[in-house]
Structures are given as structure tokens and as C-alpha cells.
Amino acid sequence: MSIITGGKLIYNKLVQHKINKVFCYSGGAVMSLIDTLYNQNNIKYYISPTEQLLTFQAIGYAKSSNNLGVVIVTSGPGFTNTLTGILDAQNDSTPLLVLSGNVPLISKNTCAFQEAPAVEMSKPITKWSYQIQHHNEISDVIDNAIHIATKGKKGSVHIDLPKCILSAKFLDNTNYDNITEQNNKYPETLSKLNNFNLNSNYPSTLSKIYGRKCYMIDHKPKFYYNNKTKEKYDKIIDLIKNCKKPLIYAGQGVNNSYNLFRKFVKKTNIPVTTTIHAMGSYDENEELSLEFLGMHGSVTANYSIQNADLIIALGSRFDDRTTGNIEKYAPKAFEAANNNKGGIIHINIDDNEFNKIVSSNINIKTDCKDFFETIIPKLEDNYDRTEWLTTINKWKKKNPWTYKKTDNNVTQDVIIELNKQLYKLNKQFLITADVGNNQMITAQYMKFNYPKQFISSGSLGAMGTSISYGIGSSLSNPDKLIVSVVGDGGFEMSLNDLKSINRYKLNNIKIIVINNNSLSMVNCWESLFYNDNFVATNNLDTPPFHKIAENYDIKSFYVDNKKDLSYKLNLFLNYDGSSLIHIKVDKSFCFPLVAPGKALDEIIITENDIKNINKNSEVPS
Ligand SMILES: Cc1ncc(C[n+]2csc(CCOP(=O)(O)OP(=O)(O)O)c2C)c(N)n1
């Protein structure tokens, strides 16, 4: 036993949990913890120009791997700068641990210098937030924080560390045995912690807090299976066999067992649509793939949801961007549920997701891996779906991704060319996208063939994430090519993270800035829903982004016309090291679009249908 500080004990616990990278930004309140990173080899630390981008780096690191992202920041502004990231990680089920300094307990609640009510601020947007108030708690709290962030439905955990705790000296009697699933103390020790308050139901609890009611919850299908798991599996097997128009709707819950998922698809011969977080879990080049669904998703996927008699939702949560108007969602499946001939099966690790948005008639709380392992051996070998697949193939043929060409490139031209060249390179790649049309068009025109190949802020839709996600992804995937797509608006929110690329010596990051001189996703909505009243969405005065990148010592390219696109993109992708290409494009709409308030099959497919939107749509949200 030796005398150590609270900061050192936290460091030891991180090492014990095999955390070998942390993302940190220093400041007075957290110095006793940051000091432990000096002159040691167990944990590498990374520092970005702001805590917000730093947190996005940690999230990118976690999203593109199975690792926990760990962020260490100081009190007050250091902590508040992480809030967007904390919510982003929580909403996209990304494991994130934020350790923040705070003022000494003696100064608590005095509006002391750089004091923030950190736990109160993070509590509603984390799985768990907690302030350590005695050094005796440190070991258990860190064990449990890591457990909570990484197990079940993953998410954000915030631990607040008063300066007096970090600098306190005491005799260390911590048990540093190897952490294993078996000896992990959770959940027994949790109850011992003061003020323990696990918000594990968030975001499901939002609906309870704000009194939102699942509209369908009062309309439970006549045949609702609430019996034993075995009987539920028997019923599922029966439905897979007898339903005429089954459809798989997969979310990121399938990513970690994608090999089994593919087996399940192959055996059942059921077409697959995914959320954007599950793109690639099933190879999008395969015939049964309908690609992603929802607001800007494929017409075929959306039609299929509306026409399916059986929807098998796997590790997905019926996010509003994927359902369209919930009252008009999946009418055929509900009809089939009431006749006991189909319906909605929901497999999810978090039972708070059941009946939150739609009323499913068979729910099984389990990891997708367990579901596949249980069900695959029970499946038959040949399910004939000829009729259903013929209909689907007709929709596919009639409704490829489309856009309007102009004399210059538009975002779609860039992504089509990128897809072509990346596959020619024959190197494993991963794409990060920002938020906006660049994100949706990348999701549409890139073809993904393995999971976690598309990293983006899905639920929160936070602009300014792509480059930092790319940096984090590069740290966890040093052998892949990391391509970060970003619009001019998103780039201007995050360009100071260019500095981290050389600082971290990353040589596999390719940044594509698509500059349409507008915040085009919103600008387009102003055209569609607000009579072309453009307010604060034109961005005509952008500086030469490629020159900015050169000043950060990043090799840069510039394209402003059609004829140079292919050639310059090729030079950029093949440049030996990280590089940036600034591409000036014309503004383009992103279609298809399920306008707000519309059902998935009321989808606007091309620009020719714009007139229908203006007349009938509600104000978007
Ligand atoms: C932090 C943040 N602020 C505002 C928004 C609202 N928003 C969504 S998309 C978008 C436009 C993005 O513009 P740009 O980065 O240029 O990409 P583009 O749509 O042109 O591809 C805006 C402002 C957001 N999602 N995130």
C-alpha cells in the first residue's frame, strides 16, 4: 500500500480497465488528474483546440471501434464545451466517459471561479452522471462508470471530480485485480454509492418526462404476444414462413454480430433496409439490400415498409426520421397483426424501446447476437419469396437515386466519383460525414459493405463533427483510409481541428470539403417550405479553404469545374499522407424526401414533384 492522490487512483483505474487513449484539455480544477499523464507509457493523451471537437474525436474513436471514448476536461467552460458531444454520444448509443474537474467541495454552490453545476447539467442527457464526494468512492465509481457506458445500450457517463478529491492524499487499498466480466462489481456496488441515480432509460424516459404518448400504445394489436420467450420464437418462425411480404429493418444493434445477421438474411431470404448507423452491416451491393430508409432514404425501402405484412426490427428504435408520419406508418403490417398473420417484431437490448414509438406485437429483450444464435438453427432452408421480391425489384428499377445535373458539379457528382474511385483503390475505407445534404447524399451514393463504415451524427445531427470523427476514427483504424466529407458550414465550425492531424501524426485522413456556398440542407428547405425566403443560410463569403489547410501543413487540392473532378480527386486520394480537397459545387436538392407530416410512401422522388410539397406540407421540424 502506498500514499496516492485521487487523481492517481483514477489514472490507475483507467489503466486497470485497459484504457490506453484519453482525450484531454487541461485547466486548474483538473490538473491533479492530468498531471498523472506526465512521463508514463500506459495512456496516450490527445489534445484538440477545443473541448467540443475533442469530445467529437473521442466519439469518432468509439463509434468506429468497440472502444470507450474517454474525455478529461476542466471545470466550468471546459465542461460546458463537452455538452454537445455528451448528448451526441448518448443519443447515438456511443460509449463515452467524460471526467470533469470542478471546484473544491468547500466552494461548492458559491458561484466560485469556473464553477458549473455540472452534474445537474449532464444528468438529463447521460446514462449516469455523478459527482464523487469522497476518495473512498473513486474506485467503485470508475468501475461502474465504465460498466454503464459500455454495457447494454451504450451511452454517455459523466463523472464530476471536485479539485479537493483529485488532490486528496490517502493510503491506497484498492484492489487492482484484472477486471473481468465475472469479477466486475456492478451492480452490487452501485447501490452503495451515495445519491446513486442511474438514468439508464434515457432517451426513452423523455417521453415519460414530457408526457408524450405513443399513439399506438392504446391500439395494441389484437394478437399481442406477451407469453414465454420460446413461444415467441415459435411464432416468429411461423411468421417468417407464412408471411408473404416480410421485411427486415435493422439498426446499429446488428453491427457487432453482422456475420450472423448476414446468415439470418440469407436463410430467411427476406429483403433488408437499415438505418444509417447500420449501413454496411448487410452488404449494400447484394440484391436483398434496399439500402437505408426514411426521410432521404431509398424509395424502395420506404415503399417496402408501407407494404410489408411483417417487419422484423432488429436493434433499431423507430426513430422519427425513419418512420415518417407515425399515424400512417406500416399500415399493412398493423392490419396483418390484427389478423394474426404478421405485424411488427421488435428485437432490442433495451426494453424501454418497446412500444415507445410503434406498437409491436412480438417483443424480445435480447442482444441481436443471441437472437440470431437462437433462431438460425430453427429456420428452414428455402423460403420462396419470388412474388414479393419481383415487386421490390420493379420498385428498385423504377426508382434509382436521381438528381438534377448542372454545368458544374453538384454534391451528388462528387460522391458518385468518390464511390467509384474508392472501390478502385481496393483499400479498406471508412467515411465520416458531417450533417446536412453532404451527409445524406453520401449515405445515398456510397455503397457500404461492412458495418461502422459510415460514421455520422445521426440522432443529434450535430454539424462540425465530421473532421473530428475522422481524427478519432483514424486513431482506432490506422490501417484504413479515413475519408471525411463536410459542407462549407460544417467545415467552418470545425476547421481548427485540422491542427490535430499533424499534431497526432495521422497520415490516412482525406478531407473533402464540398462548398456550395450555402447551408444547403436548410437553404433547400427554405425553398421548399418558406417560399425561397433565404435567411442566414447563404454563405457566399467563404475563404479559400484549401489555402487554410496548407497553412496547417496539409497537402491541398482545389476543384471548381466538372472536367477536373475525376483527375484531382484521384490525385487527392492517392496522395501519400493526409490531404484535403476543396470542391466548389452548385447547390443541389437532396431527393428523395419524405416531407414532414407525410407518410413514407408519400415520398417526393424528384425535383419535378416540388410543387406538391409547397402546397401540402406542414412547417418542418
Ligand atoms: C450545430 C448545428 N447547428 C445547426 C444545425 C442545423 N442544420 C442542419 S443541416 C445545416 C446546413 C449544413 O450546411 P453545410 O455544412 O454547408 O452542409 P450542406 O447541407 O450544404 O451539405 C444546418 C444549419 C445543425 N444540424 N447543427
Side-chain angles (χ1 to χ4, degrees), residues 177-416:
D177 287 347
N178 273 344
I179 299 283
T180 64
E181 287 297 321
Q182 284 71 35
N183 76 3
N184 197 329
K185 297 171 210 156
Y186 178 92
E188 294 83 62
T189 52
L190 278 178
S191 52
K192 290 192 206 144
L193 298 173
N194 288 338
N195 293 330
F196 176 71
N197 180 5
L198 183 65
N199 315 317
S200 63
N201 293 345
Y202 182 88
S204 319
T205 43
L206 271 186
S207 47
K208 288 168 198 153
I209 296 168
Y210 297 113
R212 182 194 182 281
K213 231 173 156 194
C214 167
Y215 103 94
M216 283 185 228
I217 216 150
D218 297 332
H219 307 146
K220 266 194 190 142
K222 261 194 274 166
F223 294 92
Y224 180 76
Y225 288 84
N226 201 12
N227 40 14
K228 296 218 170 66
T229 305
K230 175 173 179 320
E231 284 151 30
K232 289 187 195 173
Y233 273 100
D234 290 346
K235 184 64 193 171
I236 294 172
I237 299 283
D238 170 59
L239 291 174
I240 286 175
K241 181 168 179 184
N242 292 310
C243 285
K244 300 281 176 265
K245 297 177 176 180
L247 178 70
I248 293 166
Y249 147 58
Q252 64 172 320
V254 300
N255 283 347
N256 282 341
S257 47
Y258 75 101
N259 282 324
L260 286 170
F261 174 45
R262 290 175 179 195
K263 255 191 201 163
F264 175 73
V265 175
K266 192 160 183 219
K267 268 208 126 176
T268 55
N269 196 23
I270 297 179
V272 180
T273 181
T274 70
T275 65
I276 63 165
H277 289 317
M279 291 191 307
S281 57
Y282 185 73
D283 186 342
E284 296 190 329
N285 300 295
E286 292 283 333
E287 196 170 342
L288 285 175
S289 170
L290 314 184
E291 304 185 49
F292 77 107
L293 81 165
M295 181 174 262
H296 288 291
S298 94
V299 174
T300 305
N302 288 337
Y303 282 175
S304 300
I305 290 272
Q306 296 301 84
N307 286 280
D309 54 5
L310 177 69
I311 294 174
I312 306 177
L314 299 169
S316 48
R317 64 180 179 91
F318 300 94
D319 175 87
D320 58 287
R321 282 300 191 254
T322 70
T323 60
N325 183 330
I326 194 70
E327 311 225 355
K328 298 180 183 171
Y329 182 72
K332 298 282 165 47
F334 286 108
E335 197 182 304
N338 280 332
N339 296 325
N340 202 14
K341 289 190 168 159
I344 299 186
I345 298 166
H346 195 176
I347 309 300
N348 205 301
I349 199 166
D350 180 0
D351 53 3
N352 290 296
E353 298 296 347
F354 297 145
N355 301 320
K356 187 182 88 181
I357 311 281
V358 302
S359 205
S360 33
N361 46 334
I362 305 182
N363 299 315
I364 302 182
K365 180 188 175 179
T366 184
D367 189 275
C368 286
K369 179 170 176 282
D370 297 337
F371 172 74
F372 297 137
E373 282 173 349
T374 309
I375 202 159
I376 288 172
K378 298 180 198 281
L379 293 167
E380 293 177 9
D381 276 330
N382 293 305
Y383 296 97
D384 181 12
R385 317 256 182 230
T386 312
E387 215 179 309
W388 177 221
L389 293 178
T390 306
T391 307
I392 283 180
N393 283 332
K394 271 190 205 148
W395 288 333
K396 270 193 186 180
K397 223 169 161 187
K398 200 167 163 222
N399 301 293
W401 303 109
T402 47
Y403 64 100
K404 196 166 153 189
K405 296 194 192 292
T406 68
D407 288 343
N408 192 3
N409 297 301
V410 291
T411 302
Q412 286 88 340
D413 294 310
V414 175
I415 305 300
I416 289 169

Side-chain angles (χ1 to χ4, degrees), residues 52 411 434-439 460-464 486-491 493 514 516 518-522 539:
Q52 176 166 333
T411 302
D434 214 74
V435 170
N437 279 358
N438 66 86
Q439 173 192 38
L460 190 62
M463 281 170 71
V486 57
D488 43 292
F491 186 68
M493 282 195 182
I514 303 179
N516 48 26
S518 76
L519 307 179
S520 74
M521 177 172 265
V522 182
N539 193 21

Side-chain angles (χ1 to χ4, degrees), residues 469-541:
Y469 281 173
I471 290 166
S473 300
S474 166
L475 292 172
S476 48
N477 298 269
D479 299 328
K480 287 182 188 157
L481 197 65
I482 311 295
V483 181
S484 294
V485 176
V486 57
D488 43 292
F491 186 68
E492 288 182 324
M493 282 195 182
S494 56
L495 64 87
N496 45 351
D497 223 359
L498 291 178
K499 180 173 173 181
S500 306
I501 294 173
N502 279 331
R503 180 182 263 187
Y504 301 173
K505 299 189 177 43
L506 305 175
N507 59 11
N508 59 342
I509 300 187
K510 303 285 173 187
I511 297 171
I512 304 182
V513 189
I514 303 179
N515 183 358
N516 48 26
N517 287 109
S518 76
L519 307 179
S520 74
M521 177 172 265
V522 182
N523 188 281
C524 288
W525 279 36
E526 286 173 329
S527 290
L528 299 173
F529 306 110
Y530 292 88
N531 304 315
D532 278 341
N533 295 341
F534 300 121
V535 182
T537 57
N538 287 327
N539 193 21
L540 300 174
D541 49 355

